Amino acid sequence: MVIAVIGAGTMGNGIAHVFAQHSYKVNLVDISEDALKNGVATITKNLDRMIVKGKISESDKQATLENIAKYTSIEKGVRNVDLVVEAATENLTLKLKIFKELDTFCDTNTILASNTSSISITQIAAVTNRADKVIGMHFMNPVPIMQLVEIIRGYNTSDNTTKTIMQLSKKLGKTPTEVNDYPGFVANRILMPMINEAIETLYNGVAGVLEIDTVMKLGMAHPMGPLQLADFIGIDVCLSILNVMYDGFKNPKYAPCPLLVNMVRANKLGVKSGEGFYDYSNSKKAETVSSQFN
Ligand SMILES: NC(=O)c1ccc[n+]([C@@H]2O[C@H](COP(=O)([O-])OP(=O)(O)OC[C@H]3O[C@@H](n4cnc5c(N)ncnc54)[C@H](O)[C@@H]3O)[C@@H](O)[C@H]2O)c1
């Protein structure tokens, strides 16, 4: 079975890593040569870390890397593949364009999955002529470590497609969980209002950043506080997912907190911009955040 992964960024390289490590041939596709180079470098680094931890051998690493081929053209990268997992930038216009291309270039039986965090699978499927074979395969970050794959059934996704993707996810050692296609699916529908409420609590002056995160870490046994998690996800990503739910449900309970909106305007986007609720200008501190996921 050959899998094409579209996008070699944070999620794409993780998805390619997991498939390749489970002996699937992977065509990793990105419009950017640099993204492909960095993606494979990240996979190599993560495999090295697994060797140090005694989880895989040097020959497992070599076999995994040999399973990955790089492409800058979608047309060439998806030729004769059985499944495509799209993990390109979260942008509706871009995803619709990519799925139109995938529908043109892939064999008629190829299943087209998207790793989107918030875009409607039904809307993506509607630009193809195979809505029954379009499905959400929402991996969590970091992909090689996180257990869950949220499997999202679009309005027209067939039982057969769902069964194939559920079984395949299990073969990757993951726990797939089936949900229906409504804004935020399940993971973000529950997570984002919690993050938004934590920001609202800060905005209302009920407690400070550290206090809010400490309550949730030590009181609820969360591995990290919601504000630190928002920094890690990206404050802009949180805003855009909340807006998808706000627009999708037309319900004010999903309205993003004004502080969240202001932080995005001020380019305080979390770890990636060097500052969010915490300061990451000192690289040691940023490392403290990401090391929790290693
Ligand atoms: N980062 C997360 O924590 C996370 C978690 C779950 C799901 N997601 C979803 O995964 C997807 C990817 O997110 P990411 O964080 O990996 O983004 P990213 O910005 O790290 O990577 C996106 C990659 O897509 C590439 N790309 C853009 N246009 C392309 C095209 N036309 N063809 C091929 N490649 C193209 C870019 O060059 C880039 O390398 C998004 O849909 C996002 O919502 C992200």
Side-chain angles (χ1 to χ4, degrees):
M1 191 168 187
V2 185
I3 321 285
V5 176
I6 312 295
T10 311
M11 297 305 286
N13 77 60
I15 295 166
H17 172 153
V18 170
F19 275 108
Q21 201 185 323
H22 286 81
S23 306
Y24 293 96
K25 293 278 174 208
V26 176
N27 294 349
L28 185 56
V29 183
D30 203 295
I31 37 165
S32 151
E33 296 255 12
D34 277 353
L36 282 170
K37 219 170 80 192
N38 293 337
V40 173
T42 301
I43 295 170
T44 309
K45 199 180 73 200
N46 288 337
L47 288 167
D48 283 336
R49 202 176 285 164
M50 293 173 92
I51 294 177
V52 171
K53 288 185 177 169
K55 288 186 178 164
I56 60 164
S57 66
E58 178 63 38
S59 66
D60 294 331
K61 171 187 159 185
Q62 288 315 325
T64 301
L65 291 173
E66 276 164 26
N67 281 338
I68 301 173
K70 298 189 289 245
Y71 292 86
T72 47
S73 144
I74 286 198
E75 182 171 1
K76 290 183 184 150
V78 302
R79 202 169 283 157
N80 298 324
V81 304
D82 304 283
L83 166 70
V84 178
V85 183
E86 173 276 320
T89 314
E90 185 79 342
N91 174 295
L92 176 64
T93 314
L94 174 69
K95 300 237 189 237
L96 297 185
K97 175 177 166 278
I98 289 176
F99 272 78
K100 266 188 204 156
E101 288 174 13
L102 294 176
D103 195 40
T104 308
F105 298 135
C106 291
D107 297 342
T108 46
N109 288 331
T110 305
I111 293 179
L112 308 181
S114 176
N115 185 54
T116 179
S117 306
S118 61
I119 295 171
S120 160
I121 299 300
T122 307
Q123 191 174 5
I124 289 174
V127 301
T128 73
N129 291 308
R130 60 179 88 192
D132 59 316
K133 296 189 185 69
V134 177
I135 192 161
M137 214 177 170
H138 187 201
F139 289 87
M140 305 290 136
N141 185 21
V143 183
I145 291 168
M146 298 294 279
Q147 192 63 35
L148 178 72
V149 189
E150 192 179 27
I151 305 293
I152 301 122
R153 286 189 76 134
Y155 198 91
N156 289 308
T157 308
S158 71
D159 289 344
N160 240 344
T161 299
T162 308
K163 197 168 144 212
T164 305
I165 294 301
M166 292 287 286
Q167 282 171 351
L168 181 62
S169 304
K170 285 182 194 154
K171 286 189 189 149
L172 298 177
K174 303 290 186 197
T175 304
T177 303
E178 190 183 320
V179 313
N180 288 320
D181 179 29
Y182 288 96
F185 315 134
V186 170
N188 283 319
R189 182 166 177 173
I190 297 172
L191 176 66
M192 287 302 157
M194 184 190 73
I195 287 177
N196 199 37
E197 198 60 34
I199 301 171
E200 193 83 30
T201 308
L202 177 70
Y203 177 63
N204 292 341
V206 178
V209 170
L210 269 179
E211 288 74 16
I212 291 168
D213 275 356
T214 302
V215 167
M216 297 306 286
K217 266 198 305 194
L218 303 187
M220 317 298 156
H222 289 190
M224 72 165 58
L227 299 175
Q228 195 178 26
L229 182 56
D231 275 358
F232 193 80
I233 293 170
I235 308 291
D236 53 337
V237 175
C238 294
L239 175 61
S240 117
I241 298 174
L242 278 161
N243 275 330
V244 166
M245 293 198 286
Y246 183 50
D247 295 342
F249 291 115
K250 308 277 184 273
N251 185 333
K253 83 174 176 182
Y254 300 106
C257 173
L259 173 59
L260 170 60
V261 176
N262 250 356
M263 286 177 73
V264 174
R265 287 181 182 146
N267 200 39
K268 305 293 183 208
L269 307 181
V271 176
K272 65 182 160 195
S273 74
E275 192 186 325
F277 295 102
Y278 295 84
D279 181 5
Y280 304 91
S281 45
N282 156 359
S283 65
K284 245 181 149 182
K285 205 163 181 190
E287 225 177 85
T288 314
V289 172
S290 58
S291 67
Q292 303 205 22
F293 285 87
N294 293 336

